[in-house]
Amino acid sequence: MIRLYGQFKSGLLRVYENYKHLLLLLYFPVYLLWFSYLEKKVTTHFHVIHVAADDLIPFCEYFVLPYLLWFFYVAWGIIYMAKNNKSDYYKLCAFLFTGMTVFLIISTVYPNGHYLRPQYFAHHNIFTALCESLYSSDTPTNLFPSIHVYNSIGIHLAVMQNRELKSNKTVQMLSFLLMVSIVLATVFLKQHSVFDVTTALILSLVMYWIVYRRSWSHASASHQPKNWLWLR
């Protein structure tokens, strides 16, 4: 019995050592709870986001496809990095989670929204049906910086930096095209203002410099915060 317990404990320790880096993903329940609270709280009284460029961009329902592919794109990027390269995984998490937290803080202290969505569709097809479903589940509030834009850039940066993927031109090109399509989708679906896209780009540049250019993850263990060491 004691031997079986020892084997069981040893097995649990091996599982923990192999997968403890995934504990960082516990950030997502926290994010979703905070975001859900904001979606329910910010409904009518908010600062209106609008710039002149928004009026020049037509609504195009076909962009709903890349917009929805964003969920799979982000999930794929995180899973791939977590499975194949822990260093890239930590960088990606630092990039994504910092920006997402900044977004939550801004939405909390500066409630915001827009009135850009079309009041009706000129015609109906499967794409407008998807847009109707999207509109019903996602309010036009809590907009900047656009997390769709920011996280798409984050995933593509991770793909560009990854040792295995940077030599795969096909993956690089597909990732780039999907990232650009998602960015365009945010404005052509009237989900976001050009302002939201611009602020996401600015935040992405700042975080790119912090996470990738400074190469903080290559610092020696003696210079790393202790609370990160147990995840490595």
Side-chain angles (χ1 to χ4, degrees), residues 23 39 76 80 103 131 136-137 152-153 169 179 184 189:
L23 291 174
E39 285 285 275
W76 167 80
Y80 183 90
F103 158 76
C131 289
S136 65
S137 61
S152 297
I153 294 173
K169 299 302 181 184
M179 176 196 69
L184 293 175
L189 290 181

Side-chain angles (χ1 to χ4, degrees), residues 28-178:
F28 280 107
V30 176
Y31 172 84
L32 291 173
L33 286 172
W34 193 343
F35 181 74
S36 297
Y37 165 76
L38 291 173
E39 285 285 275
K40 293 178 181 178
K41 180 181 178 181
V42 183
T43 54
T44 55
H45 295 84
F46 52 72
H47 299 85
V48 177
I49 305 300
H50 180 269
V51 295
D54 295 329
D55 301 327
L56 303 176
I57 301 173
F59 170 80
C60 182
E61 70 269 21
Y62 303 112
F63 277 98
V64 72
L65 292 181
Y67 190 90
L68 295 177
L69 282 175
W70 173 83
F71 296 96
F72 300 97
Y73 184 46
V74 173
W76 167 80
I78 294 174
I79 292 171
Y80 183 90
M81 299 305 162
K83 182 180 179 182
N84 295 283
N85 192 307
K86 288 184 180 180
S87 177
D88 288 344
Y89 166 77
Y90 287 124
K91 291 179 182 180
L92 179 59
C93 285
F95 187 99
L96 297 183
F97 298 168
T98 301
M100 292 164 72
T101 302
V102 169
F103 158 76
L104 290 173
I105 293 173
I106 291 175
S107 298
T108 301
V109 301
Y110 188 81
N112 57 87
H114 70 61
Y115 296 107
L116 299 175
R117 289 178 175 178
Q119 295 183 353
Y120 63 91
F121 298 121
H123 53 269
H124 292 277
N125 53 43
I126 187 173
F127 302 104
T128 56
L130 288 172
C131 289
E132 288 177 342
S133 178
L134 175 63
Y135 286 177
S136 65
S137 61
D138 186 12
T139 66
T141 57
N142 310 311
L143 303 172
F144 76 95
S146 168
I147 293 302
H148 253 68
V149 172
Y150 179 83
N151 281 6
S152 297
I153 294 173
I155 296 298
H156 185 63
L157 287 175
V159 170
M160 290 176 61
Q161 299 293 324
N162 181 263
R163 185 181 305 171
E164 291 76 23
L165 296 181
K166 67 168 48 178
S167 60
N168 191 322
K169 299 302 181 184
T170 301
V171 173
Q172 291 272 322
M173 180 57 66
L174 289 175
S175 176
F176 175 76
L177 290 176
L178 183 55

